[in-house]
Each structure stands twice: as structure tokens, then as C-alpha cells.
Amino acid sequence: MKTRLFLLLLISINVVFSQKRPKIGLVLSGGGAKGIAHIGVLKVLESKGIKPDYIVGTSFGALVGAFYAIGYTPEEMEKIISNSDWDYLINDKIKRENLLIGQGDKNKKSLIRLPLNGLVPSMSSGLYSGQNILTFFEIKTRDYNRDMSFDDFPIPFRCVATNIETGEAKIFDKGHIADALRASMSIPSVFSPYNIDGNLYVDGGLVNNFPTDIVKAMGADIIIGVDVGAVLYNKDEITSIIQILDQTSSFYNYRVAQENKKLCDIYIRPDIEGISAMAFNETSDIINKGASATKTQLNKIDSVFGKYNLSPIVNDTSIHKTDKIRIDSIIVITELKHNQHTKGAKKLIDGKLNIKLPITLTTEELSQKINRLYGSKFFTDISMSFIPNDSSYTIKLNAKEDHINGFNIGARYDQTYGVNILLGAQFRNLLMYGSLLEASVVAGQSPQLKLRYTTDRGANIGFGSSFEFNNFYAYSYENGSRYATYNYNLASWDIFVHSYIGNYNRVIIGAEASVFALSAKQTISDIDNILDNYFSPYVAYIIDTWDRAYYPNNGFRFKTRADLVIDSEYDNMPKAWAKGSFVSSVSKKIKIITEGFLGFADARLDTTFFKFQTGGLANNRIKWYNSFPGMEFLEHGAANIWILKLSPRYEFYKNNFITATFALTGMDNNIESLFINTDQVYMGASIKYGFYSMFGPMEISADYSFTNYNKNILVSLGYWF
């Protein structure tokens, strides 16, 4: 009897243990945006009660795997990916608000940007540094983004990168998870290789895009593999050099993937044919493809897991119940070329972050502060780790000095200045830390030279100096017809102090010396060659909140300046002007641009180059010039002027715009009659087509004067410089 009971107990114990769920390993391959399908797979697996014990991922599969391993639900990941601006994250964009007013990068001018090796232009190691995506990883993984073992995550995790020096796979199992993800996603030639402990890493998909061997080594009994990786082309599909290069670089990884597939107990291949690796705007569709592919494997899934009576997983909590981050302290560590600059570097970092501790920031606010620091161009590879303090954090921020200078090339054409080529360079930290020297030469029909040296002190007072020389043709008119052509030369040098107020405002106090020269190209008895010298102390205030320099969708741009112009005879002539442009949104496609200009000056300035002038061409090298439809270049001017413009703009197709402008202006040398003298009031209108291309704005416009019935066709091609 006792023997029978013992055998019965032994059988019962054996049955119980035989039904214990084996360890599950989940493998998520890389594939760019196609990896969003992994989220759909996770949703179906959770509905079947399946949650992995180990996760291994490569590239975008590492992102999804890591987020799931630290506690994000599939629904939370879907929301994060759908709501993120992937163009901003991947293309390393610096928001325009985070670029300094007055520096060249605020308004794009060049077609090509290259790093300088000494004084020699060189090629970059990648199109983008990956700063924005790194910040994204750090903030989203903040509860686990510190030096720790990945086995301490709620689900043990591994990810794969490639050591670019040795070609060997690197399996990350500890450290900072954001660093590991940044390394695993470093797509060669797109992102710069990522440095961790002196080693450079690129995308793990080069050596092991389907790492089932790694999850097996972790102890997985059952392996579920999700494959969104590319397959080899057949001979009929190889039609370009890009496809040839892609094919030749994929042979090794394809063979590895084929071997690793054999380790899968359940293999899931979503239908990602025709989906781009950058199709982040197709999140819902790609997730559905992952879910559909998993459902086709339900018979297999049930045969493996049905005997374990698993219940669907219900997720009702989030690891981050709020997007707010409480910060108690910040520890700043700098990696500089010269250690004596440490104090200046930390002061610059503090000024850019502008964080008064303790503080609570949203994740977006913290991201933008890092973007602003990155936008200074003084630092690269800005990394953060988060040290929890109960309900708050200490942030450990490490900023590596960006000592690589830049070289840029630009080109443009318009009917006024002709064909011109720009060659420019930027040098940082010359003479003083936090300084920027910008130099550019324009060669072509309208030569130009610019030199500008500024120090960036944020809200603290900085200083600077600039020199500019311009040469172009100017004209005089009689009855709307061109009468004479002149060679216009303007050289100016100034020195100033300035301060930035927040992201959008700049105050400047300075003094400028100017030399004007005008010479006629033909003999005209009543026109002599002119050479005038002037000195002008001035004060200026600038606001610029435009979201982008060309075809802005919203924002306000305003500049006002007051000068006391002193000529060579020591006569004092005051001058002041203000210019504003406000962009309001009617709808996503329709914007209204309202512009105004108001200038007052001593009547004697009408006989000098300082008089306010207006005419054709929207952009100009004369600071106090304003365009007006229906006029020729520099056709009218006076000591006092006002201009009003209203411009509805319609984006009828992506980056294609139609803009109509209606304008009214009045001018007079006597301020008393500026608003009542109808003899010098002009009306005009224009219609313009613009295409915002990779080479800059391409525009053609037709304008008309209601005053003298003039008509013009204007063409402008390329970024303005």
C-alpha cells in the first residue's frame, strides 16, 4: 500500500514538473522602420500569455527589445514611436530656436558641409553624429540608463554591435543601455561610429542580424525569432551600383542568419516587402503586419505552449506614469582638448542648459535643452546617465568638445547679383573659449567677403567684431526705365557687445565704420564718382522665433536698430528703423505672412547711402533695404519710409508653394509729410511659385505695379548668402 502511494506521489510530482514552462528566448532582428513589426508580434504573444525570459536584439530590434525588457508595454512603445519625430531624431536636426541669432547656421546658406582636418576639407565618418537619437534613448530608458548589468532588467537583455576596427561582434550585456542601443543602431555612412571605452562600434546587423545563438547561450529552451532583415537580391533585381554594394556587403550576414534560423522553434517573418527602412510614418500598418505574421504561426505556437495553460498578459501600469522628470543636481564632466578650458566649458554648458535646480522638466523640455547645447556646436557626443534619488534624479552629463572645424560650399543665382559661389569656414575656440570665427568668400558676378568673430556667453555679456565687403551693380531710373549703371562698393567694420535673452532675443550695442564707393560705368556729366566715410554708434534688438528660415510655418521675426550716423564732416544724422514679419497659420497648408517696415532719419540722409531704399528682389546685401513688388532693384528711396505687406501662402504639394503678395508703401524726406504725401505712395502685387529643394529654394515670381504699371519676372535659385 505504501509503495503504491509513493509511486502515485512520484508520478504526480513528475507531471507537475513536466508542465513547468521552459525558458523562452525572443530574438528581434534589425531592419530600420521595418522593426516596428516587432511590436505587433509582442501584442499577439502577450494575448497568448507568452512573455520571454530573455531578449536579444540587433539595431532597431535592439530598441524594441530593450524597451520591452525594461518594462514598456507594446501599447506604450507604439505610442512612443508614433508620436516621435523620426526625421528630427535620425537626421540630427538642431531646432532653429536652438541656434544663435546672428551666426551663420541660423539661416542655411550652403549646399555642402565638410569637416576640416587642419585647413584641409575632409570627409565625415557619417552623415549624422546621432546626438538626437542618443538623447532620445537616454531619456526613455532613464530608470535603467546607468552603469549596470543588463541581467538586472525585468527581462535579461543583450544587443549586438560591430567593432569597426576588428569586424567582430560585440555583445553588450552591461553598461549604459542608451550607449549600447546607439552602438547597435550605428548604420554605416549614416551615423558616425560610436565610441565606447575607446572602441568604435557600428550597426550589429553587419555581423549578426538574427542572433538566436546568443539567446540560446543565455539559457533559452524555446526560441522565438522575428526576422525583418533584408534578403539577397536575385540577378534581375540588381540594376544599380547601390544594389551591388548592398549585395556584396550582405553575403556574410545572410549566411549567419540562415544558420541561426535553424535554432528557432518558432520563426516569424512579417510581410515587409516594399516597406522602406525609413517608413516611420507607417507605424500602424507595420505593426499590423507583425501581428498578422504571428497569427499565421498560431498553430505552431499552440502546439508548443498550449499544454502550459498560459493566461493572456494584461498590462495596466506604466514604468513612467508621467513625462515629467524631477532633477535635484547635475554633475558635468567635460572631455576637452586643453584642460585649462574646463572652467569656461562648464560655464558655457550651464548657460546653454539654463537649469535652476531643483527643477521639474518634461521629457521634451530636457531634450530641447540638450539640443540647444548641441546646437552651440562646441560639444558632441553629449551623454546623460540618471542616478535615481527616490522620486528624483541626479543627472551625470558628459560633453565631449567638438574641436572639428567646418568648411562649406554654396551656390545661387538671381537676376540682380548674378551667379555666385560661396566658400566658407568656421573655426571654434580661437583666442578665447566659446568663440566662433566665421569666414566666407563669394566669387562670381557680385563678390563678397565676410569675417565675423563672436563669443557665446548666453545671457551673460559677450563681445564680437565683424568685417564685410560687398561689390555689385546698382542702377538709377527715369520714369521706370534704367538710366545708368554703377559699380556699388560697401565695406564696413564693427565691434560690439551682445547678450542673448532666452532662445529668441538678442541685444547688441556697438559702433560701425563704413566706406561707400560708387562709380559710373559710363560717362554721365552730372554723376561723379563718390567715396564717403561714416562712423555710426548703434544699438539693436532682435527677436526671431521662426521655426525655419525658408517658408516658415509659424513664428515672429523682428529687428530694430538705431544709429547716429556721423559723416566725414562730423555732421550727426540720427537714423532708426524697425522691421517685423509674423507668420500665422490658417491651416496646415495655408499660412498668412504679415510684414511691416518703418524707417525714420534726418532728411539729410537722403543724399547718402544710408537712405531707406526699396525695389525688386526679396533678399539684399543692404541691411536697410526692403523689397517691394512692381519695382526695379533700388528704384526708390527716401529718408523716411513705411511699408506694409500681406502674403497668403499655400503649400499645394509637399515643399511646393504659391505665395501672393499685396504691398503698399509711402516715403518722403520730411517726416511730417510721410503719412499724408500721396505723391510718393506706391501699390504693388506679386505671385510667386517656390520649391524648397535639396539645393535650396527655387523661385520664380511675376509682379506688377499699380502705380506705374510696371511688370517684372524674377528668378531666384538657391540658398541666400
Side-chain angles (χ1 to χ4, degrees):
M1 184 67 177
K2 290 182 179 179
T3 302
R4 188 176 300 172
L5 288 174
F6 177 75
L7 290 174
L8 184 60
L9 178 62
L10 187 64
I11 292 170
S12 299
I13 292 173
N14 185 59
V15 169
V16 169
F17 277 95
S18 68
Q19 300 303 307
K20 183 180 179 181
R21 183 177 70 75
K23 296 293 185 180
I24 302 170
L26 177 65
V27 176
L28 305 176
S29 80
K34 293 177 281 189
I36 297 172
H38 296 317
I39 296 173
V41 174
L42 290 171
K43 284 185 175 182
V44 176
L45 292 179
E46 285 197 347
S47 72
K48 303 297 292 183
I50 299 169
K51 196 155 191 173
D53 299 284
Y54 311 105
I55 302 176
V56 180
T58 298
S59 196
F60 202 88
L63 184 158
V64 175
F67 278 31
Y68 194 59
I70 66 174
Y72 281 107
T73 68
E75 291 75 19
E76 289 169 339
M77 285 190 283
E78 179 178 6
K79 184 177 179 180
I80 288 170
I81 291 173
S82 297
N83 294 341
S84 296
D85 184 347
W86 288 92
D87 182 49
Y88 164 79
L89 292 175
I90 292 177
N91 295 340
D92 242 17
K93 289 186 175 180
I94 300 170
K95 290 196 174 181
R96 190 170 181 271
E97 66 187 67
N98 293 327
L99 295 170
L100 287 180
I101 297 173
Q103 293 189 351
D105 288 335
K106 189 75 171 179
N107 301 313
K108 188 172 182 180
K109 300 179 180 182
S110 59
L111 295 172
I112 300 171
R113 290 175 176 266
L114 299 171
L116 282 174
N117 184 6
L119 294 176
V120 179
S122 59
M123 295 300 293
S124 173
S125 58
L127 288 174
Y128 311 112
S129 72
Q131 179 61 57
N132 290 349
I133 197 77
L134 176 64
T135 302
F136 172 78
F137 291 152
E138 290 168 339
I139 292 176
K140 294 301 182 184
T141 65
R142 57 187 177 272
D143 284 337
Y144 295 89
N145 190 44
R146 57 188 184 276
D147 195 7
M148 65 183 298
S149 170
F150 297 170
D151 285 333
D152 293 333
F153 293 174
I155 302 175
F157 173 75
R158 303 286 186 271
C159 68
V160 184
T162 304
N163 187 311
I164 194 62
E165 181 180 8
T166 65
E168 297 176 348
K170 168 65 177 179
I171 303 169
F172 285 99
D173 59 1
K174 61 183 177 181
H176 291 74
I177 183 60
D179 287 340
L181 294 179
R182 169 67 178 83
S184 185
M185 287 185 65
S186 295
I187 305 168
S189 77
V190 176
F191 289 127
S192 298
Y194 194 60
N195 188 324
I196 301 178
D197 297 331
N199 295 306
L200 293 177
Y201 297 103
V202 295
D203 197 305
L206 294 178
V207 291
N208 196 347
N209 199 45
F210 197 60
T212 53
D213 53 331
I214 298 173
V215 81
K216 187 171 183 64
M218 292 177 72
D221 301 307
I222 296 175
I223 297 175
I224 302 172
V226 188
D227 183 10
V228 294
V231 297
L232 294 177
Y233 299 110
N234 61 49
K235 64 180 181 179
D236 295 329
E237 295 174 318
I238 302 175
T239 59
S240 70
I241 184 64
I242 299 298
Q243 290 167 318
I244 292 173
L245 292 173
D246 187 24
Q247 185 89 332
T248 55
S249 65
S250 299
F251 287 133
Y252 173 76
N253 182 52
Y254 182 76
R255 287 195 295 268
V256 172
Q258 291 301 106
E259 287 299 312
N260 282 350
K261 285 179 187 177
K262 298 175 183 177
L263 298 176
C264 285
D265 295 284
I266 299 171
Y267 175 74
I268 300 171
R269 173 76 183 183
D271 180 15
I272 39 81
E273 185 71 26
I275 294 177
S276 166
M278 301 300 292
F280 292 99
N281 60 336
E282 301 177 29
T283 298
S284 296
D285 183 50
I286 299 173
I287 288 175
N288 290 336
K289 288 182 180 296
S292 297
T294 310
K295 289 175 182 177
T296 64
Q297 298 296 317
L298 285 180
N299 288 337
K300 180 72 171 177
I301 291 171
D302 289 339
S303 69
V304 174
F305 295 102
K307 55 189 172 184
Y308 302 112
N309 297 317
L310 302 176
S311 300
I313 296 169
V314 178
N315 297 303
D316 56 359
T317 61
S318 166
I319 63 169
H320 299 308
K321 295 183 175 64
T322 175
D323 71 343
K324 294 183 179 180
I325 303 175
R326 178 72 177 177
I327 304 170
D328 287 336
S329 61
I330 299 176
I331 301 170
V332 175
I333 300 172
T334 56
E335 297 180 38
L336 307 177
K337 190 175 182 180
H338 302 291
N339 290 332
Q340 64 265 33
H341 292 153
T342 299
K343 184 177 180 180
K346 289 186 176 181
K347 188 174 181 180
L348 177 58
I349 291 171
D350 289 341
K352 288 296 179 183
L353 294 178
N354 193 27
I355 295 176
K356 308 299 182 184
L357 298 170
I359 193 172
T360 299
L361 298 173
T362 66
T363 56
E364 176 64 20
E365 288 170 341
L366 179 57
S367 175
Q368 286 312 304
K369 287 182 179 293
I370 298 300
N371 188 253
R372 188 181 186 203
L373 178 58
Y374 180 58
S376 73
K377 304 295 184 70
F378 287 104
F379 302 99
T380 185
D381 292 342
I382 303 166
S383 61
M384 293 182 291
S385 58
F386 293 77
I387 304 170
N389 304 317
D390 295 326
S391 60
S392 62
Y393 299 92
T394 291
I395 292 181
K396 187 176 180 181
L397 186 145
N398 188 294
K400 180 180 178 182
E401 181 181 37
D402 187 354
H403 52 79
I404 303 298
N405 296 312
F407 175 77
N408 49 286
I409 302 171
R412 70 167 278 108
Y413 164 79
D414 61 64
Q415 290 150 294
T416 299
Y417 294 110
V419 177
N420 293 283
I421 303 296
L422 168 74
L423 300 176
Q426 301 83 39
F427 302 91
R428 299 182 185 278
N429 299 324
L430 291 179
L431 301 180
M432 292 187 63
Y433 193 83
S435 66
L436 171 66
L437 173 64
E438 298 173 284
S440 65
V441 176
V442 173
Q445 292 176 268
S446 300
Q448 181 188 68
L449 171 64
K450 282 186 178 182
L451 297 170
R452 182 181 181 86
Y453 183 85
T454 55
T455 58
D456 182 2
R457 293 289 184 268
N460 299 316
I461 294 176
F463 70 91
S465 182
S466 65
F467 172 82
E468 183 173 343
F469 169 76
N470 282 287
N471 169 255
F472 52 87
Y473 290 129
Y475 312 97
S476 63
Y477 303 88
E478 283 190 359
N479 299 320
S481 299
R482 187 176 296 176
Y483 172 64
T485 302
Y486 305 94
N487 199 328
Y488 187 109
N489 294 277
L490 167 60
S492 62
W493 170 77
D494 75 343
I495 186 167
F496 56 85
V497 294
H498 65 151
S499 177
Y500 292 95
I501 305 171
N503 283 4
Y504 307 110
N505 305 266
R506 183 182 181 216
V507 178
I508 313 164
I509 300 174
E512 181 179 82
S514 305
V515 178
F516 292 90
L518 192 69
S519 58
K521 288 182 63 64
Q522 58 278 309
T523 302
I524 304 174
S525 60
D526 59 342
I527 297 292
D528 296 322
N529 292 343
I530 299 172
L531 180 64
D532 285 340
N533 304 309
Y534 298 92
F535 176 74
S536 305
Y538 70 89
V539 59
Y541 178 64
I542 306 169
I543 303 173
D544 190 347
T545 69
W546 276 11
D547 62 333
R548 58 184 188 180
Y550 301 94
Y551 308 108
N553 293 307
N554 56 73
F556 178 57
R557 180 185 274 181
F558 174 81
K559 181 174 183 179
T560 184
R561 174 166 163 160
D563 293 75
L564 182 61
V565 180
I566 304 172
D567 66 13
S568 57
E569 301 297 324
Y570 301 104
D571 288 332
N572 300 329
M573 295 170 283
K575 173 183 179 180
W577 54 271
K579 181 178 183 179
S581 179
F582 178 69
V583 182
S584 57
S585 182
V586 176
S587 68
K588 186 176 180 180
K589 296 291 186 181
I590 301 175
K591 313 296 175 184
I592 303 293
I593 302 96
T594 306
E595 298 177 78
F597 182 88
L598 183 62
F600 300 115
D602 190 294
R604 291 172 293 172
L605 281 175
D606 180 59
T607 62
T608 74
F609 292 91
F610 282 97
K611 72 177 180 180
F612 299 108
Q613 292 178 292
T614 187
L617 188 66
N619 294 301
N620 205 273
R621 297 183 183 178
I622 304 172
K623 299 182 183 73
W624 48 89
Y625 180 91
N626 282 271
S627 65
F628 196 88
M631 293 184 184
E632 301 287 350
F633 177 53
L634 291 171
E635 183 174 354
H636 293 287
N640 299 279
I641 190 172
W642 59 266
I643 300 174
L644 292 174
K645 297 180 191 175
L646 184 67
S647 302
R649 190 187 75 211
Y650 174 53
E651 185 177 7
F652 63 92
Y653 188 70
K654 185 177 180 180
N655 291 328
N656 287 263
F657 305 88
I658 293 292
T659 306
T661 297
F662 306 92
L664 184 68
T665 183
M667 60 191 77
D668 202 286
N669 289 329
N670 297 312
I671 192 171
E672 295 85 359
S673 55
L674 176 61
F675 297 101
I676 59 175
N677 188 341
T678 57
D679 291 338
Q680 295 192 71
V681 173
Y682 303 90
M683 296 178 62
S686 69
I687 186 76
K688 177 172 66 178
Y689 164 73
F691 171 50
Y692 197 5
S693 74
M694 63 183 296
F695 302 106
M698 305 295 174
E699 299 178 337
I700 182 169
S701 63
D703 63 16
Y704 179 75
S705 171
F706 294 104
T707 306
N708 56 21
Y709 314 114
N710 281 353
K711 299 181 290 293
N712 295 297
I713 300 293
L714 299 173
V715 176
S716 176
L717 308 175
Y719 294 112
W720 171 253
F721 50 76

